[in-house]
Amino acid sequence: MKAPTRGYWCECWTQDIRGRELPTLKASFDAYSAPQADRWIAVALRTISPALDPDASHEAWEWLHNGRINTRRALLRAQSCTVSITQAHTRITWTIRPVTFLPLADRQGAPLPACAHEFAPRSEN
């Protein structure tokens, strides 16, 4: 069995700041290094920045130019990080948390129980 692996759990949440709705999870990502974790946010911000209003675009580029290094340093100290921008009435928040990934049981090389062969894929009509 493999040993647990250190890494980072990354999430992207959105919330309409006008209402009382709870934030909605839009994406998640498992990263195995601090550079991989903060790169996930950087790629997202660079991708969406052309569609953002001027204030949100400024927030995005401020983090890309000045805040990213602080995020990386915090991650290397095993601290959680949050990056948020607000576009119109929507707040987009990325979170990164240090985690320990537990290995899943590996069934390769182990025979499946007899009942496993009784199941057939459903036909779609």
Side-chain angles (χ1 to χ4, degrees), residues 67-124:
R68 187 174 179 188
I69 189 67
N70 294 330
T71 298
R72 175 87 55 96
R73 287 179 183 149
L75 293 174
L76 292 171
R77 291 189 304 267
Q79 297 173 338
S80 296
C81 297
T82 301
V83 177
S84 292
I85 62 169
T86 302
Q87 164 69 21
H89 301 290
T90 302
R91 179 177 297 118
I92 306 169
T93 302
W94 291 267
T95 61
I96 305 172
R97 293 179 191 88
V99 296
T100 301
F101 294 110
L102 301 176
L104 297 175
D106 184 6
R107 67 175 184 86
Q108 298 298 325
L112 293 173
C115 64
H117 301 287
E118 294 176 14
F119 294 99
R122 275 193 322 187
S123 62
E124 297 192 25

Side-chain angles (χ1 to χ4, degrees), residues 11-17 19-27 84 89-95 97:
E11 296 176 336
C12 178
W13 294 82
T14 61
Q15 183 175 20
D16 186 333
I17 58 176
R20 292 188 175 142
E21 294 87 18
L22 294 173
T24 303
L25 179 65
K26 294 296 182 183
S84 292
H89 301 290
T90 302
R91 179 177 297 118
I92 306 169
T93 302
W94 291 267
T95 61
R97 293 179 191 88

